[in-house]
Amino acid sequence: MVRSFLRDTDLTPAEAAEVFELAHRYKKLRPAGVLDALRGQSWGLVFFKKSTRTRLSFEAGIYELGGHPMVLQADDLQISRGETVEDTAKIFGRFLHGIVVRTFEQDMVDTFAKYSGLPVVNALTDLLHPCQSYTDMFTMIEHFGKGSEDPECIRGKKFAFFGDTACNMAYSLALAGSMFGVDVALCGPEEFRPGRELDVLFDSAGLEKRYSFTSDPREAADGADVFYTDVWVSMGKESEKAERIKTMSPYQVNEKLVALGSKDSIFMHCLPAHSGEEVTEGVLRSEKSIVFDQAENRLHVQKAIVSWLVNKNRSLA
């Protein structure tokens, strides 16, 4: 059975810790130049959704591991003219060594994994964003560990997410946080509270829930070690922009809210940020903000995920 990374829980906490150890190593080794972990391999990077950080980090990462990244937009594929995802996946399986997919439906990444026979990495779906959540846990370890690479350093930290708590980032952060003992407070309007699908994800993985939901921003912010938010209007939700901004405005991460957190609290955002909407310019550019360290770490963590999958699948062959 080929191992893929489609959901945050596809790796055990111990396996995720191995990925983080690799990511630390790759970060230190980057000045040394191109590695050979993917030498002779071609990986397809398939984008049904626009991207800046995801495309740059995966394309650079595959190259830096010694592989050949092949970037494909939706219009480049015969899927846009009616070919099935199943048939496309089978063709990819004959030509490539791995696939990275950024798309809308979770079912699409599942189908690529099922029919390609290759390791597949979920680079974002409407349900989950596991590469980002792993990066966020890695960045927390890097920050709070103060030199230690042990994931135990973030156990018991309070992580407060504000905004649309029924979105892919909220779900992935709840899952990844629970894997590492982080207490995730999801905070947003009642009409944007987590849906039943999040509980299904926890139950199917047999993972103990360490997340909670509240509609009270002050409750979520009280003693928080990490303040986190995401755009209020995700791709595909543009028609709801005015209503979403109005509904989400009480959940803006601002200076007054951050003042309720722990003394050494930090601010994180998966970017792009809309300053003045989900976060104030003052918080976004403050000393507490580590958003660009977080963005850089996508490169190192994703390189680690890809090479870990390659090594694991070799050992299973």
Side-chain angles (χ1 to χ4, degrees):
M1 180 69 176
V2 174
R3 294 287 298 272
S4 287
F5 185 59
L6 311 178
R7 293 164 178 75
D8 310 72
T9 51
D10 281 348
L11 274 62
T12 66
E15 289 173 334
E18 291 175 6
V19 166
F20 294 161
E21 185 179 349
L22 259 180
H24 281 292
R25 192 182 313 162
Y26 284 151
K27 190 168 185 175
K28 291 175 183 176
L29 286 174
R30 194 179 187 210
V34 175
L35 305 174
D36 64 357
L38 300 185
R39 183 169 56 184
Q41 293 198 9
S42 295
W43 278 64
L45 312 184
V46 186
F47 290 88
F48 292 89
K49 279 189 172 185
K50 292 181 179 180
S51 168
T52 298
R53 279 149 294 277
T54 299
R55 175 169 175 176
L56 286 172
S57 56
F58 268 112
E59 190 167 357
I62 298 295
Y63 169 78
E64 290 179 10
L65 290 172
H68 174 50
M70 303 175 68
V71 178
L72 297 159
Q73 305 293 339
D75 289 344
D76 296 328
L77 301 173
Q78 292 294 336
I79 287 176
S80 64
R81 300 182 64 245
E83 185 171 31
T84 67
V85 178
E86 177 182 336
D87 285 354
T88 302
K90 289 178 179 178
I91 292 299
F92 275 36
R94 300 298 180 101
F95 296 150
L96 303 174
H97 298 88
I99 312 170
V100 175
V101 184
R102 179 179 172 94
T103 188
F104 294 89
E105 304 87 359
Q106 181 72 24
D107 181 63
M108 183 172 283
V109 295
D110 293 342
T111 302
F112 267 105
K114 181 177 180 180
Y115 291 102
S116 68
L118 302 175
V120 175
V121 177
N122 177 357
L124 177 142
T125 65
D126 286 346
L127 181 66
L128 295 169
H129 197 354
C131 288
Q132 182 67 59
S133 69
Y134 271 43
T135 296
D136 296 336
M137 295 300 118
F138 174 85
T139 305
M140 285 177 64
I141 295 165
E142 192 175 59
H143 179 84
F144 290 114
K146 301 186 185 307
S148 169
E149 298 177 3
D150 188 352
E152 283 296 309
C153 71
I154 62 173
R155 183 171 294 278
K157 294 293 184 183
K158 183 177 180 181
F159 188 109
F161 177 93
F162 298 88
D164 179 358
T165 67
C167 75
N168 51 11
M169 271 318 314
Y171 286 7
S172 274
L173 288 167
L175 290 164
S178 294
M179 288 174 64
F180 288 99
V182 176
D183 297 313
V184 179
L186 301 178
C187 181
E190 282 287 343
E191 56 266 49
F192 289 95
R193 69 181 297 142
R196 170 62 184 155
E197 61 269 23
L198 181 54
D199 289 333
V200 170
L201 286 164
F202 271 94
D203 293 343
S204 63
L207 180 64
E208 180 184 357
K209 301 179 182 70
R210 290 187 68 115
Y211 82 90
S212 59
F213 171 81
T214 179
S215 58
D216 183 352
R218 293 180 64 85
E219 178 185 342
D222 184 30
D225 299 295
V226 180
F227 288 80
Y228 198 114
T229 189
D230 194 3
V231 294
W232 290 340
V233 186
S234 300
M235 284 179 282
K237 304 292 184 183
E238 288 81 4
S239 63
E240 305 171 12
K241 181 176 181 178
E243 186 60 32
R244 277 178 169 260
I245 290 176
K246 179 181 177 181
T247 304
M248 300 286 182
S249 59
Y251 299 92
Q252 181 189 68
V253 178
N254 53 40
E255 289 81 350
K256 287 184 178 180
L257 197 66
V258 171
L260 299 174
S262 66
K263 178 181 142 184
D264 298 319
S265 66
I266 57 176
F267 172 73
M268 301 176 76
H269 192 306
C270 54
L271 301 180
H274 292 177
S275 178
E277 290 183 11
E278 73 272 8
V279 60
T280 61
E281 182 73 4
V283 171
L284 181 63
R285 308 299 173 190
S286 72
E287 291 183 357
K288 288 182 175 290
S289 176
I290 60 169
V291 297
F292 292 106
D293 292 337
Q294 182 187 357
E296 178 197 336
N297 283 338
R298 285 284 299 277
L299 172 67
H300 311 303
V301 172
Q302 288 166 184
K303 286 168 68 175
I305 289 168
V306 167
S307 60
W308 186 92
L309 286 173
V310 168
N311 289 333
K312 178 61 67 172
N313 286 315
R314 279 176 181 157
S315 69
L316 295 173

